[in-house]
Amino acid sequence: MKDYLPDVNIWVALSDPAHAAYEQATEWLLGSHGARLLLCPVTEAGFVRIAASPLVGKKSIADAMRMLEAIAALPNVAHLPVSFSWLELIQPLTPRLLGHRQVTDALLLGLAIRNEAILVTLDRAIQALAGETYAANLLTLA
């Protein structure tokens, strides 16, 4: 069984039928039969932050938290604790870590690598961070 760590942008797309990537994310989700979807504190916090943003999700914090609770309660969703420091998680990626916008991406990709999972994202820029060495730990839908 594969383990997938959906990036915040995937959870946001799946939660909003009006999102530009809703169909693409839904198609991926429906095609991932038998896969385990992972949530971690970073993706949980990011989802609530974006879903409750007045510019993006336009939901209340309470509504965003209820949506997260519903996601977490799905039978194929598991919680992935972060038990390593950021420096430990990003260690294999440091040669390709070049800018401040890669900080959270490196953490999520490092978490996927450490747990033999696949980070699923809409963000093509993470491909450069993964390089050939960790391409198997990344699935870019966009």
Side-chain angles (χ1 to χ4, degrees), residues 50-131:
I50 299 300
S53 163
L55 299 175
V56 182
K58 301 177 184 174
K59 294 167 181 49
S60 69
I61 291 283
D63 286 344
M65 290 176 65
R66 277 192 287 279
M67 290 178 77
L68 178 59
E69 288 169 349
I71 291 168
L74 294 171
N76 63 326
V77 173
H79 188 265
L80 181 61
V82 179
S83 54
F84 296 95
S85 73
W86 179 80
L87 289 171
E88 290 171 310
L89 287 171
I90 64 101
Q91 191 280 325
L93 306 170
T94 54
R96 290 181 298 283
L97 184 61
L98 303 174
H100 69 281
R101 292 183 181 189
Q102 295 176 307
V103 170
T104 304
D105 296 340
L107 182 143
L108 291 175
L109 182 56
L111 192 58
I113 292 165
R114 183 71 75 145
N115 290 279
E116 298 179 2
I118 299 167
L119 175 63
V120 183
T121 186
L122 298 169
D123 185 354
R124 287 189 186 140
I126 300 176
Q127 292 171 342
L129 190 57

Side-chain angles (χ1 to χ4, degrees), residues 1-8 10-11 14 28-29 32 34-45 47 68 71-82 108-120 137:
M1 171 172 45
K2 290 185 181 180
D3 286 344
Y4 290 102
L5 175 61
D7 197 349
V8 173
I10 297 294
W11 291 119
L14 288 169
W28 165 76
L29 182 65
S32 64
R36 188 168 68 151
L37 305 179
L38 304 171
L39 283 169
C40 72
V42 174
T43 57
E44 291 173 313
F47 172 78
L68 178 59
I71 291 168
L74 294 171
N76 63 326
V77 173
H79 188 265
L80 181 61
V82 179
L108 291 175
L109 182 56
L111 192 58
I113 292 165
R114 183 71 75 145
N115 290 279
E116 298 179 2
I118 299 167
L119 175 63
V120 183
N137 295 96

